[in-house]
Amino acid sequence: MHAREIRKGIQVIATVHWERRLFDSLIPLPDGTSYNAYLIRGSEGAALLDSTDPALHDDLMKQLEAVEHLDYVVSHHAEQDHSGTIPEVLARYPEAKLLCSKKAEDLLTTHLGVAASRIRVVEDGESISLGDKTLRFIYTPWVHWPETMVTYVPEDRCLFSCDFFGSHLATTDLYVTDKARVYEAAKRYYAEIMMPFRTVIQRNLDKIGECPFDVIAPSHGPVYDDPGFILDAYRDWVSPTMKNEVVLPYVSMHGSTERMVKHLINALARQGVTVHAFDLAVTDIGKLAIALVDAATLIVGTPTVHVGPHPAVYYAAHLANLLRPKLKYAAIVGSYGWSSKAIEQIAGLIPNLKVNVLGTVLHKGAPTAETYAKLDDLAAAVAKAHHEDDQVAT
Ligand code: FEO
């Protein structure tokens, strides 16, 4: 890519990772991703905000070839996809100071080997002048590491938000052009890494709301020149309101659990409840995470493998526990051959989810008319709980 101007004296230096399909060896990236650094030139100084993933360091350094001097490099977030190339940038610009939050100082030295002498910690709310442009640093912790902060440039009404509001999209678009596509990618990103910190993100939204900005420039995905769209989305995702929806991850080995799940899906649909079902044998866990953002209820469907739940269910239950979605209700359904501790073991996997268990239906062998009747009762209990809960929009 080439450097592109978003405001006079402000360039986005994007590096696009078209072929990346997994982040943290965990998170699927169906559309690749991008890492945006920003070059800000004021009348009396220049700063580079963030860098890029080490895999694309050549692309970043090439775009900086014409830049002879930097006064500052800013690390909003010490994770390697934004700060991993900072040591190379600091070597190229020995005069530059690295600005970061107090908690980032330790992470940048221990994770990336940055010399402490190169670092200058900035306080929450502190400003640094570049002449006719000001960098104002705002601590926004836990989006999604403890050290995260954003930079506000009041003269240009631009907010540089790093991961906050980002979307994993490999694109040549400078600004958002396809809102539906960016919404999906940003929601996936929120679900996978931000959702556990919903409460603090709400406070961060209030905090940045004190800055009048026209542009949000994140470090993943396109720039928002209509920031109301992504702000509204975030406010919705972090709000306590849930939707009349069930997320139903399941797996089946010989068809009994699948027959139960399919019956339950129909029963819930008859009750007016929307179901997002995921066959864990083939699903994209990012889709599962997205569905967890809004749902009021989680129902797990599992066969029994050596007395416990299927390993794929272990994984999905553990993931849901880590992501701490706002759901309030849960149930477990499934089958077993001769004995099972699946319910107890799944319950032990989700201590972070403060849910009311609306029922369990565990059947020995192939489901019978009695099994299906119990599933109908469960569907009715889910619909009733949703209707009686003021926080569920029905
Ligand atoms: Fe995009 Fe948390 O790094």
Side-chain angles (χ1 to χ4, degrees):
M1 292 296 285
H2 56 280
R4 293 170 292 178
E5 193 165 77
I6 57 170
R7 286 289 186 273
K8 191 170 175 5
I10 301 179
Q11 289 180 314
V12 55
I13 301 179
T15 51
V16 184
H17 213 160
W18 297 98
E19 63 279 11
R20 191 166 187 179
R21 284 295 173 270
L22 202 59
F23 197 90
D24 291 346
S25 300
L26 171 68
I27 297 168
L29 302 178
D31 300 306
T33 190
S34 57
Y35 321 102
N36 303 330
Y38 294 90
L39 179 65
I40 302 183
R41 287 187 170 104
S43 56
E44 295 172 18
L48 181 72
L49 312 187
D50 297 322
S51 66
T52 189
D53 190 278
L56 299 186
H57 71 118
D58 281 347
D59 194 1
L60 177 84
M61 299 311 286
K62 191 168 176 50
Q63 292 185 65
L64 291 176
E65 275 177 357
V67 179
E68 294 181 353
H69 172 86
L70 285 178
D71 297 277
Y72 304 106
V73 177
V74 175
S75 170
H76 290 124
H77 174 28
E79 194 166 8
Q80 287 81 350
D81 55 327
H82 307 293
S83 291
T85 305
I86 280 180
E88 189 173 343
V89 172
L90 292 175
R92 164 86 176 275
Y93 299 97
E95 72 283 5
K97 271 287 181 193
L98 178 60
L99 307 179
C100 65
S101 69
K102 180 67 188 160
K103 286 193 172 166
E105 183 178 27
D106 166 63
L107 295 172
L108 290 165
T109 54
T110 55
H111 287 58
L112 301 174
V114 175
S117 59
R118 298 296 303 270
I119 294 175
R120 175 179 160 192
V121 168
V122 293
E123 301 297 329
D124 186 18
E126 183 175 342
S127 292
I128 285 185
S129 175
L130 300 178
D132 59 355
K133 294 189 190 298
T134 307
L135 307 178
R136 185 185 303 165
F137 305 104
I138 304 166
Y139 282 20
T140 50
W142 295 110
V143 286
H144 57 121
W145 281 17
E147 86 295 9
T148 45
M149 68 175 191
V150 301
T151 296
Y152 177 56
V153 177
E155 294 85 355
D156 296 287
R157 296 170 64 96
C158 289
L159 185 77
F160 299 89
S161 61
C162 200
D163 276 351
F164 205 3
F165 309 114
S167 59
H168 279 312
L169 273 181
T171 176
T172 53
D173 289 349
L174 179 55
Y175 295 105
V176 173
T177 54
D178 182 342
K179 281 188 179 172
R181 185 168 184 238
V182 174
Y183 178 93
E184 168 93 3
K187 189 172 187 180
R188 172 185 284 264
Y189 193 51
Y190 167 84
E192 290 165 338
I193 67 168
M194 306 285 183
M195 188 156 59
F197 313 110
R198 198 169 65 248
T199 308
V200 70
I201 289 173
Q202 173 72 66
R203 289 199 293 272
N204 287 331
L205 286 170
D206 293 342
K207 195 171 178 183
I208 63 167
E210 294 168 11
C211 304
F213 51 81
D214 302 323
V215 167
I216 294 178
S219 290
H220 293 293
V223 173
Y224 300 93
D225 54 357
D226 176 16
F229 141 68
I230 193 66
L231 288 168
D232 287 347
Y234 259 75
R235 287 194 191 103
D236 179 35
W237 300 335
V238 302
S239 79
T241 303
M242 291 162 284
K243 292 184 178 164
N244 181 25
E245 295 179 357
V246 164
V247 175
L248 208 172
Y250 71 96
V251 69
S252 189
M253 294 164 69
H254 297 292
S256 294
T257 298
E258 183 177 5
R259 294 211 290 278
M260 292 173 67
V261 164
K262 295 288 172 61
H263 184 93
L264 181 58
I265 291 169
N266 284 329
L268 287 163
R270 276 198 300 275
Q271 295 281 351
V273 179
T274 299
V275 183
H276 300 283
F278 300 93
D279 177 354
L280 294 170
V282 295
T283 201
D284 164 359
I285 61 161
K287 290 272 190 190
L288 173 62
I290 290 171
L292 286 170
V293 171
D294 302 313
T297 296
L298 172 69
I299 300 179
V300 175
T302 185
T304 296
V305 181
H306 299 313
V307 185
H310 189 284
V313 170
Y314 254 100
Y315 181 77
H318 180 63
L319 186 71
N321 187 60
L322 287 178
L323 296 179
R324 296 174 183 251
K326 53 190 169 187
L327 50 85
K328 285 174 69 174
Y329 305 100
I332 301 168
V333 302
S335 61
Y336 62 97
W338 45 93
S339 68
S340 180
K341 297 282 185 193
I343 290 172
E344 297 91 324
Q345 291 188 18
I346 292 172
L349 289 169
I350 52 174
N352 292 341
L353 306 182
K354 308 301 181 200
V355 288
N356 295 331
V357 177
L358 296 174
T360 58
V361 181
L362 203 62
H363 185 79
K364 183 175 180 178
T368 63
E370 185 186 358
T371 320
Y372 293 134
K374 288 179 181 173
L375 292 167
D376 290 338
D377 290 345
L378 175 59
V382 170
K384 182 169 185 287
H386 287 191
H387 277 290
E388 292 177 352
D389 192 322
D390 291 342
Q391 291 183 315
V392 180
T394 55

